[in-house]
Amino acid sequence: MKTKFNIEKFESQGISLKNLEIFIGEVIEEEDWEPMGPYPFPSATDLRDWDFKILKRYKPFYAPYDDTCSLCTLGKCDLTGNKKGACGIDLKATQGRIVLLACVVGTSAHVAHARHLYHDIVKRYGKDLPIDLGSEIEVEAPLTRLITGIRPKTVGDFEPVLEYIEEQLVQMADALHTGQEGSYLDFESKALHVGMLDSLGKEVADILQIVAFNFPKGDSDVHLVEMGIGTMSPERPTILVIGHNVPPALDIADYLIENGLEDKVDIAGICCTSLDITRYYPNAKIVAALSHQIKAIRSGLADVIVVDEQCIRADILEQARRVRAPLIATMDKALHGLKDRTNDDVDKIVEDLVSGKVDGVAILDSEKIGEVAVKVALKVHESRKDVKSLPSDEELKELVNKCIHCNRCTLACPQNLKISEANRIAKTGDLSKLRELYESCISCLRCEQVCPVNIPINDVIMKAAMPLIRNEKGKVRAGRGPIKDTEIRNVGAPIVLGTIPGIIAAIGCDNNPRGAKDVWLLVKEFLDRRFIVTVSGCAAINLGLYKDEDGETLYEKYPGEFDAGGLVNVGSCVANAHIHGAAIKVASIFARRKLRGNYDEIADYILNRVGACGVAWGAYSQKAASIATGFNRLGVPAVVGPHGVKYRRAYLGRRDREEDWTLYNARDGSEVRVEPAPEHLLVAAETIEEAIPLVAKLCMRPNDTPQGRQIKLTHYLDLSMKYLKKYPEDWYLFVRNEADLPLARKEELLKRLEDDYGWKIDWKTKRILEGPIRKVDPSFDPTNLERLIRK
Amino acid sequence: METPYDIGNIPGPKMARVVTPEEFVKQFKKAKKPLLIVGSEISQEELRKRVEKLIDLGITTVATGGSIRYFVEDGYDEKVEVAVLHELTNMLLDENWKGFDGEGNYDFVIFLGITYYLASQMLSALKNFAPHIKTASIERYYHPNADISFKNQFKDEKFFQMVDEIIDKIGEE
Ligand code: SF4
Ligand code: SF4
Ligand code: SF4
C-alpha cells in the first residue's frame, strides 16, 4: 500500500518548499529520464476513452461461429438473431466475450512464457543481469517504457512489469464470468487492453532471452540458417524440438557443444523454438512452420521429439509412437500424460526410453533434458532405421485404389481439399493432383479419421509429393531481435513523410488458404517496391521455402536492414514486440514524443502518421488474436486471410460515412475532415491478390506529405492494376491535390476525376480546383485526442 | 438434414432450408432488390460463363477482389461492381446503406463461387444481424448459415445443371 502526500507550499523557520511529493510505504526511485505521462501501469479503464475513439470509427463487425452459448448451466442458450441468453447477454456481446477470451488465452501463453523465462534466467544468472542491447540501442524496451514508465536496467526490473500484466490479466479474465460485462464495446475495450498487455509480455520475454542467451541484438547481417524437411538427414541422429519456449532446446545445444557432438547429432525444429534456437546455435535447422509438424514427424527422420509449449499437437504421443520416436515433454503446461521423471537418474531415463519400456517422459529440469535427449538420439538412431513411415510405391497404388469416392474426407477437411478427385486421377497412375494438394494440406488429419476404408490420407499426399519434399531446402536469416535506434533515425522522417511507403509486418501462423507461397508473393512484391518488410514466427520460416528465378531465397536477395527494401526477420512470435517497438521509436526518437506512461498519445501518433500494416495471412491461434488486437490498440491495422473471419470479429471502417473521418488539428483545435486512412483496423481478404492492394491502401495516413501520398497512391493503383486488373473504386478519396497524383498517370487521372467524379480541373495549369475532401495543409497536426490540442 | 460442407460447421437451431433451383427462382422472383456476390472460384471458366449469363439477365453483381480480374479479361468489368466481401457484408448489415446505385440496401443476397469458410461467416453475420436481408447460397456447398441453400454437390456436371436451370428459369420472364 502506498500513500502519496502533495504539499503545494510549505514555509517554516526559513525553510520554503514548493510542490513536494512524499510517498510513504514504498520507495519509488524517481528517475528523470522523462517526465511521467498520464497513464503509467494503465488499468483497463485508463485507456477506455482511447479505445472508444477507435471503436467509434472502426466498429466491431461480428460473424458468429456459433449462434448458441453454453458457458454456464443456465444454458444452452439460443442467441440466433441477436437474442439474449438466460443471463441477459445478447449474441453481439457474446462475440465480444469470445474475442476477449481468445485474447486472454493468447496473452496468457506469451506472458506465462515470459514468466517461465524470467524464473529460469534469474535462477541461472541472477536478477542483476544487465539489460544491455548494445551501443546502438538506447531505447531498449519501448513497450515497457511506454506502458509502465519503467526503464529496465537489469532483468529484475521486469518483475513489477510481469506482476502488472498478471494482475491485469486476472481482472480481464474475471470480466468473462457470467454476470459481469454486458456491453460488446466494453468487451472490445478489454480485449484491446489485453492485446496491449500481450505486446508488453512479448517484449519482456524476448529481451530476457536476448540478454541471457546472447541472441543477436539487432544485427542486420545475422547468419543464415538451413531450413526445410529436405535438410533433415537420415544419416545422423536428429532431435526434433517443437514449440515456443527455448531453454530445453538450448540445453540440448549446450550438451552437444560441451561434448563435441555438434557434427554427430542434429537439432531440427518446428515453429518458434526453431527460430529461437537458431539465434543461439547456428548449426540447428529450421524444419518448417506449424503446418508441417505432422509431416516432419511422419517423415520418420526424427529420432527423439522434444516438446516445450504452444502449438504442439495434442496427440503428439500417439504420433511419436507411430514412428517409434521417444517423446520428452519439458513444460508443466503440456505434459501429455507422461510420467514426471525430473528427479530420476539420467541413465535410467535413457535406458527406459531406448528399450521402449516407456514411450515418453516428462523432464521439467532443463539441465537434464539435453543429456537425456542426446544420449537417447545416439542410441536409438540405428535401431530406428527400419521405421517405415510413408507407404511404398506399391502400397500407394493399393491405397488410392481402395478409395470409394465417398467425399467424407472433403467434408472433414478444413481446406475443403478435393481428395476423392485426386485419388480418382491417381488410380490412372497420375499423381499430379495428389501432389498439388500438398501445399494446401495443413496435415490436420481430420480426413484420416473419417475415411471408411482407412486410407492414411496425409501419408498418401506426402508420398505423392516426395519429389517436392526432397527439395524442400532453403535458407532463413536468423531472428535479429530489436530495431536499432540508429536505423530509426535514418528512416523516421521518410516513414512519417510517406516517402518510405510503409512498414509491412508479415507475421503469425501458417493456416494459409492455399499454401505459404502466397505470403512469399506478398512479401516479395512489397520488397521490390521498397517498403520495409518485417517478419516473424511461422511466416518468417515459410519465406525460406521458396526461391526466385535466380535460385535465391528472399533472405539471400534482400538486406536485413530496417530500411527501404529491407527484409527484417525479428525472430519468434515474442519478437513481434520489436515491430511495435519500431513504430513507438519512430514517435519517440524521430518525433521526440514522450513515451513514458503516454500510451494514447503514441498510439494516436502511429495511427495518423506511421504507415504500418500487419499481415497475418495464416493466423489460427488465440495468440494471433491477441497479437493483432495489440497492434490495433497501438494504431496499426492488420489484414488476415479468409480463415481469419473465424475469429468472429473485425474492426471495419466505413469510407462512405463522412462523419467517421474527422480529426482535430492539434494546433488550434479545429476539426478537419480527412480521407479514410487507414480505412480498417482488422479486415479479411479472400485471396492474396485481393490482399496486396488492400495492404498498400492501409499504409496511407492523414499525415502523408504530397510526395509521400504520391508514392503510396502509385503503389495502390499499380498493385490494383496488377492483381485486380482494374483501378480501385475508392482511389480518388485519397487525392488532396494534384501533387498527390502519380506523375506518370497525372493527365489520365485528372481526366478520370473530371469525368467519373465530377471534379473541377483547370486544364491549363493542370490543377484541381474543386473535388477533394480536403486540401493539403502543411501545418496540419492530426490527432484524435483533445488533450493534445494546444490552443 | 443436409451435412454442412464443413461437417463441424453447425451453427445452431437455425440452419438453411435446402432448395432446388426451381424453389430458389421462386424466392428470387419475390425479391425487390437482389444482389449476386461472386468470389474467387469463378476462376473456373465453366462457372464464370454461367455467372456472366446471370449478369446479362440484369442481376446486380459484385465481384470480390479475388474474382474481378477474370471479368476484366472477359470484358465484363463495366457490368460488375467490386468489393472486398468483408467490407460489403459490413455495408449490407446497415439497413440504411445506399447500395451501389445510391437507392438503398438489398433484400435478397445470393452467394456463388466464394471460398467456403469465408462465405459461411459472412452469411452468419447477415443471418444474425441483418433481419432486413434474406440470403441464398447457390454454391456447390450446403451453407447452413444462409436462409436457403443448395445441397452439397460434388459433381461439377450436376452442379452446372442446377445453375443452368436457374439461368433458364430467370430468363423465361
Ligand atoms: S452465459 Fe448466459 S448466454 Fe451463456 S449459457 Fe449462460 S445464461 Fe446462456
Ligand atoms: S490432413 Fe490435409 S487433406 Fe486431411 S483434412 Fe487436414 S488439411 Fe485436409
Ligand atoms: S474418405 Fe476415404 S474413401 Fe472416401 S473419398 Fe476420401 S479417401 Fe476416398
Side-chain angles (χ1 to χ4, degrees):
Chain A
M1 175 72 191
K2 82 182 177 224
T3 314
K4 185 169 88 174
F5 292 94
N6 262 311
I7 301 174
E8 281 179 11
K9 206 169 175 199
F10 174 85
E11 278 180 69
S12 167
Q13 297 180 357
I15 304 170
S16 154
L17 295 172
K18 261 189 189 172
N19 298 328
L20 178 70
E21 280 188 357
I22 302 170
F23 293 88
I24 296 177
E26 194 179 311
V27 181
I28 300 274
E29 190 200 335
E30 189 49 46
E31 286 185 300
D32 56 3
W33 60 274
E34 217 172 73
M36 187 65 88
Y39 305 119
F41 292 102
S43 71
T45 48
D46 283 340
L47 293 167
R48 190 169 175 250
D49 282 353
W50 168 248
D51 297 337
F52 275 41
K53 278 200 159 68
I54 53 180
L55 292 170
K56 186 163 175 259
R57 188 198 274 175
Y58 305 106
K59 294 201 171 48
F61 163 99
Y62 293 118
Y65 211 17
D66 184 350
D67 305 337
T68 68
C69 176
S70 53
L71 277 174
C72 81
T73 71
L74 294 175
K76 196 174 198 179
C77 296
D78 168 27
L79 309 178
T80 314
N82 208 26
K83 285 200 284 293
K84 290 177 192 165
C87 64
I89 198 168
D90 63 19
L91 183 61
K92 223 169 166 183
T94 299
Q95 302 312 294
R97 190 180 184 192
I98 301 282
V99 170
L100 175 59
L101 176 63
C103 290
V104 166
V105 172
T107 302
S108 298
H110 286 139
V111 175
H113 175 187
R115 176 55 91 178
H116 177 271
L117 282 169
Y118 180 79
H119 287 318
D120 190 302
I121 289 164
V122 167
K123 194 170 133 204
R124 289 182 200 223
Y125 309 107
K127 285 190 177 183
D128 295 333
L129 182 73
I131 306 292
D132 177 7
L133 299 180
S135 59
E136 290 176 80
I137 300 180
E138 267 181 43
V139 183
E140 70 303 288
L143 283 154
T144 304
R145 289 183 177 209
L146 175 69
I147 298 166
T148 67
I150 290 176
R151 188 174 63 166
K153 295 197 190 67
T154 63
V155 160
D157 290 343
F158 282 129
E159 176 70 46
V161 179
L162 286 171
E163 275 172 12
Y164 158 71
I165 305 173
E166 287 157 351
E167 197 237 294
Q168 289 296 305
L169 257 185
V170 176
Q171 299 294 343
M172 296 301 98
D174 173 28
L176 292 165
H177 196 277
T178 302
Q180 301 277 46
E181 194 53 83
S183 142
Y184 74 94
L185 281 176
D186 270 308
F187 274 120
E188 291 298 343
S189 169
K190 288 180 170 67
L192 289 162
H193 188 58
V194 174
M196 179 194 77
L197 300 172
D198 180 80
S199 61
L200 180 59
K202 285 183 299 182
E203 179 175 272
V204 173
D206 208 49
I207 292 179
L208 283 173
Q209 54 182 3
I210 290 171
V211 297
F213 308 133
N214 204 19
F215 286 179
K217 295 170 176 162
D219 316 325
S220 56
D221 59 349
V222 65
H223 55 275
L224 290 164
V225 181
E226 276 191 77
M227 73 89 52
I229 293 196
T231 65
M232 285 175 87
S233 161
E235 308 309 325
R236 270 195 306 279
T238 297
I239 301 169
L240 183 67
V241 292
I242 306 175
H244 291 74
N245 198 340
V246 78
L250 290 181
D251 246 48
I252 298 168
D254 284 345
Y255 187 83
L256 292 177
I257 296 166
E258 280 157 23
N259 293 279
L261 292 167
E262 295 111 299
D263 294 337
K264 303 234 160 33
V265 178
D266 281 349
I267 302 178
I270 298 268
C271 239
C272 285
T273 294
S274 73
L275 279 168
D276 281 342
I277 186 63
T278 52
R279 293 162 89 182
Y280 178 77
Y281 180 65
N283 289 359
K285 292 167 182 171
I286 296 174
V287 178
L290 177 71
S291 69
H292 273 49
Q293 184 169 180
I294 285 296
K295 289 174 181 139
I297 295 171
R298 292 213 177 160
S299 74
L301 295 171
D303 293 299
V304 177
I305 299 172
V306 178
V307 294
D308 52 77
E309 63 170 293
Q310 300 164 34
C311 304
I312 306 157
R313 270 193 75 94
D315 63 350
I316 186 79
L317 184 58
E318 182 192 328
Q319 300 301 333
R321 209 181 270 147
R322 203 179 153 114
V323 291
R324 291 196 348 243
L327 177 70
I328 303 176
T330 61
M331 295 281 155
D332 50 4
K333 291 143 220 187
L335 292 168
H336 298 279
L338 297 168
K339 188 162 184 223
D340 181 1
R341 303 283 299 267
T342 309
N343 298 318
D344 285 5
D345 175 58
V346 166
D347 291 329
K348 183 73 187 106
I349 308 173
V350 172
E351 189 191 315
D352 287 354
L353 287 170
V354 173
S355 66
K357 192 171 163 201
V358 295
D359 299 317
V361 294
I363 306 175
L364 305 177
D365 169 3
S366 65
E367 282 168 36
K368 214 173 248 180
I369 294 162
E371 190 177 351
V372 173
V374 174
K375 284 185 168 168
V376 173
L378 283 165
K379 290 195 175 169
V380 299
H381 181 65
E382 279 307 312
S383 64
R384 284 191 69 264
K385 283 208 162 142
D386 64 338
V387 167
K388 215 176 79 37
S389 43
L390 297 179
S392 65
D393 292 339
E394 208 38 54
E395 285 164 338
L396 179 68
K397 267 190 211 154
E398 281 167 27
L399 287 170
V400 295
N401 279 330
K402 267 168 64 179
C403 179
I404 55 168
H405 307 288
C406 64
N407 284 308
R408 286 190 208 178
C409 47
T410 300
L411 291 175
C413 177
Q415 300 285 67
N416 312 135
L417 298 180
K418 311 256 185 317
I419 299 150
S420 162
E421 196 185 307
N423 279 346
R424 199 185 299 280
I425 294 164
K427 283 180 181 177
T428 68
D430 175 1
L431 298 179
S432 60
K433 284 279 166 202
L434 269 178
R435 199 172 296 140
E436 271 172 31
L437 302 181
Y438 178 74
E439 267 280 295
S440 315
C441 169
I442 56 164
S443 289
C444 69
L445 307 183
R446 270 164 45 171
C447 51
E448 291 189 358
Q449 298 175 82
V450 298
C451 177
V453 292
N454 295 319
I455 299 176
I457 297 166
N458 174 78
D459 299 9
V460 163
I461 295 174
M462 273 184 81
K463 178 68 188 175
M466 230 33 226
L468 302 177
I469 296 173
R470 268 189 225 107
N471 281 323
E472 261 189 24
K473 292 179 189 169
K475 292 264 193 309
V476 171
R477 192 170 293 288
R480 57 166 273 184
I483 312 305
K484 291 182 176 174
D485 298 7
T486 40
E487 289 173 302
I488 298 291
R489 277 188 198 104
N490 287 337
V491 298
I495 288 171
V496 172
L497 303 176
T499 49
I500 287 182
I503 307 169
I504 310 298
I507 60 172
C509 339
D510 70 336
N511 188 19
N512 298 309
R514 54 178 194 201
K517 184 103 193 241
D518 279 346
V519 182
W520 179 88
L521 180 74
L522 177 140
V523 167
K524 185 171 186 315
E525 187 63 75
F526 284 108
L527 284 170
D528 286 339
R529 290 171 180 274
R530 303 200 45 81
F531 285 62
I532 301 173
V533 181
T534 60
V535 293
S536 69
C538 284
I541 293 176
N542 280 332
L543 287 184
L545 280 173
Y546 305 99
K547 295 180 181 120
D548 65 4
E549 53 286 356
D550 304 323
E552 284 185 309
T553 62
L554 297 179
Y555 292 110
E556 291 161 290
K557 188 134 220 166
Y558 298 87
E561 276 125 37
F562 191 81
D563 202 347
L567 174 58
V568 181
N569 176 13
V570 287
S572 55
C573 289
V574 289
N576 267 323
H578 306 303
I579 307 175
H580 299 75
I584 296 167
K585 284 193 199 187
V586 170
S588 113
I589 296 173
F590 162 69
R592 300 190 176 280
R593 296 283 177 121
K594 302 267 183 287
L595 286 191
R596 198 173 190 193
N598 201 18
Y599 191 92
D600 61 347
E601 178 175 344
I602 298 300
D604 177 67
Y605 182 92
I606 292 170
L607 180 64
N608 289 318
R609 291 174 168 83
V610 179
C613 181
V615 183
W617 193 242
Y620 97 97
S621 67
Q622 293 86 18
K623 289 190 300 159
S626 55
I627 292 170
T629 309
F631 271 115
N632 292 163
R633 197 186 216 191
L634 194 62
V636 179
V639 175
V640 292
H643 281 296
V645 289
K646 298 177 195 167
Y647 282 117
R648 301 162 175 83
R649 183 265 278 134
Y651 290 139
L652 299 175
R654 287 269 303 266
R655 58 179 175 268
D656 60 323
R657 283 171 53 91
E658 289 177 14
E659 61 274 31
D660 290 349
W661 302 100
T662 52
L663 289 172
Y664 297 111
N665 186 344
R667 278 177 209 285
D668 56 10
S670 57
E671 286 192 38
V672 182
R673 204 192 135 204
V674 295
E675 55 280 14
E679 189 179 353
H680 309 295
L681 275 187
L682 193 83
V683 60
E686 187 186 14
T687 60
I688 208 74
E689 291 78 12
E690 184 173 58
I692 290 173
L694 183 60
V695 169
K697 175 169 84 166
L698 292 178
C699 287
M700 287 193 246
R701 292 294 177 275
N703 193 63
D704 296 336
T705 58
Q707 196 194 355
R709 179 61 59 82
Q710 188 193 100
I711 293 170
K712 293 185 184 190
L713 198 54
T714 303
H715 291 305
Y716 182 39
L717 293 173
D718 281 359
L719 289 168
S720 298
M721 282 310 285
K722 181 167 175 182
Y723 291 100
L724 311 181
K725 306 268 180 211
K726 198 176 162 83
Y727 281 142
E729 56 98 18
D730 59 354
W731 69 271
Y732 69 97
L733 296 174
F734 303 100
V735 180
R736 298 161 302 180
N737 71 16
E738 54 287 342
D740 287 349
L741 293 171
L743 275 180
R745 299 208 175 100
K746 193 165 173 180
E747 292 230 359
E748 179 211 338
L749 293 174
L750 282 171
K751 187 92 187 65
R752 280 178 185 256
L753 288 170
E754 189 177 62
D755 294 349
D756 300 349
Y757 303 103
W759 288 23
K760 288 213 172 107
I761 313 291
D762 176 355
W763 283 103
K764 257 195 220 139
T765 57
K766 303 213 168 49
R767 297 190 61 184
I768 295 169
L769 300 175
E770 229 175 74
I773 291 171
R774 67 175 170 118
K775 289 199 164 44
V776 181
D777 170 6
S779 73
F780 183 36
D781 182 0
T783 180
N784 291 282
L785 298 174
E786 290 85 358
R787 77 175 173 89
L788 297 186
I789 296 168
R790 318 178 287 274
K791 288 254 166 86
Chain B
M1 192 184 79
E2 178 62 331
T3 310
Y5 189 69
D6 192 343
I7 195 162
N9 186 24
I10 299 193
K14 193 172 176 221
M15 306 235 302
R17 184 163 65 82
V18 172
V19 291
T20 59
E22 198 176 349
E23 286 168 294
F24 165 80
V25 174
K26 250 192 224 159
Q27 297 290 325
F28 174 82
K29 287 188 174 166
K30 278 191 206 156
K32 290 196 188 75
K33 201 172 173 193
L35 182 72
L36 172 65
I37 309 175
V38 296
S40 61
E41 292 175 6
I42 59 92
S43 59
Q44 188 186 18
E45 200 179 344
E46 295 104 303
L47 180 56
R48 184 165 72 255
K49 292 294 162 200
R50 288 169 167 89
V51 171
E52 287 166 1
K53 284 187 186 163
L54 289 167
I55 297 169
D56 288 338
L57 288 171
I59 303 174
T60 308
T61 303
V62 198
T64 64
S67 58
I68 182 63
R69 62 178 302 159
Y70 302 99
F71 291 119
V72 176
E73 282 160 11
D74 288 359
Y76 266 76
D77 56 310
E78 292 302 320
K79 298 183 188 169
V80 294
E81 308 288 345
V82 194
V84 173
L85 182 57
H86 221 168
E87 290 177 3
L88 171 61
T89 312
N90 192 34
M91 309 275 208
L92 289 166
L93 291 181
D94 174 2
E95 208 176 341
N96 300 317
W97 178 47
K98 299 212 168 62
F100 289 104
D101 57 3
E103 285 173 18
N105 207 332
Y106 303 84
D107 63 345
F108 188 70
V109 174
I110 309 150
F111 279 52
L112 179 57
I114 304 168
T115 304
Y116 174 78
Y117 40 89
L118 171 65
S120 179
Q121 289 303 97
M122 296 306 104
L123 287 165
S124 164
L126 294 168
K127 168 172 80 175
N128 285 299
F129 305 117
H132 48 282
I133 291 175
K134 288 250 165 295
T135 59
S137 155
I138 51 168
E139 301 273 14
R140 49 188 113 208
Y141 322 121
Y142 172 61
H143 262 298
N145 282 316
D147 287 304
I148 55 173
S149 170
F150 280 0
K151 61 185 176 104
N152 292 322
Q153 195 49 262
F154 291 95
K155 295 211 167 71
D156 266 7
E157 219 181 73
K158 273 226 160 151
F159 169 61
F160 291 143
Q161 259 174 27
M162 291 166 85
V163 181
D164 286 341
E165 214 179 314
I166 289 177
I167 296 167
D168 291 347
K169 291 222 154 63
I170 294 178
E172 275 167 18
E173 288 250 307

